[in-house]
Amino acid sequence: QVQLVESGGGLVQAGGSLRLSCAASGRTFSSYAMGWFRQAPGKEREFVAAITWSNGNTYYADSVKGRFTISRDNAQNTVSLEMNSLKPEDTAVYYCAARRSLAGRITSRYAYDLWGQGTQVTVSS
């Protein structure tokens, strides 16, 4: 069974930086794109960023554009999310997800069919 594992979460002060990583354990798999989503208590899981494996095209939510950077390492089959200028409203559980289907929009959580367990990111005021 393939499993995505996130790491790098933690507690940071507002204005600080944090780098999240996502790696696959177990059986390898192929996917069209990888994405990062986040979910705060009482809120829907929302799109943060995505990147395609082939061309490295990136997509960002308006709320994080200019502050977050998604990248991929094809050799290691890992994806990272560099988060800068963090704000308290960035506090959430961050999930790594794989899109193995081309159906739907890359920004939609329903376009992804493999998810990690999530890693907590807390930004203090």
Side-chain angles (χ1 to χ4, degrees):
Q1 181 176 347
V2 178
Q3 182 178 354
L4 299 179
V5 180
E6 303 95 337
S7 62
L11 174 64
V12 297
Q13 295 182 349
S17 299
L18 205 60
R19 184 181 179 88
L20 305 182
S21 296
C22 175
S25 63
R27 183 173 58 87
T28 58
F29 70 99
S30 298
S31 64
Y32 170 70
M34 300 291 291
W36 286 96
F37 293 76
R38 66 186 183 186
Q39 187 168 21
K43 294 185 177 181
E44 297 284 338
R45 187 169 300 187
E46 65 176 356
F47 171 79
V48 177
I51 187 169
T52 63
W53 285 112
S54 58
N55 300 326
N57 294 332
T58 57
Y59 307 81
Y60 296 96
D62 291 339
S63 59
V64 305
K65 193 173 183 63
R67 299 188 298 120
F68 291 9
T69 302
I70 188 171
S71 61
R72 54 59 169 150
D73 187 328
N74 295 68
Q76 298 187 23
N77 201 38
T78 58
V79 176
S80 298
L81 183 68
E82 181 72 29
M83 304 183 294
N84 299 314
S85 301
L86 284 164
K87 306 174 181 179
E89 48 262 47
D90 293 319
T91 296
V93 176
Y94 283 70
Y95 297 90
C96 175
R99 182 187 186 185
R100 296 184 288 187
S101 173
L102 292 177
R105 300 191 303 174
I106 199 168
T107 58
S108 172
R109 63 184 182 273
Y110 301 109
Y112 297 78
D113 57 0
L114 184 62
W115 295 82
Q117 292 296 311
T119 183
Q120 178 70 48
V121 172
T122 303
V123 184
S124 62
S125 302

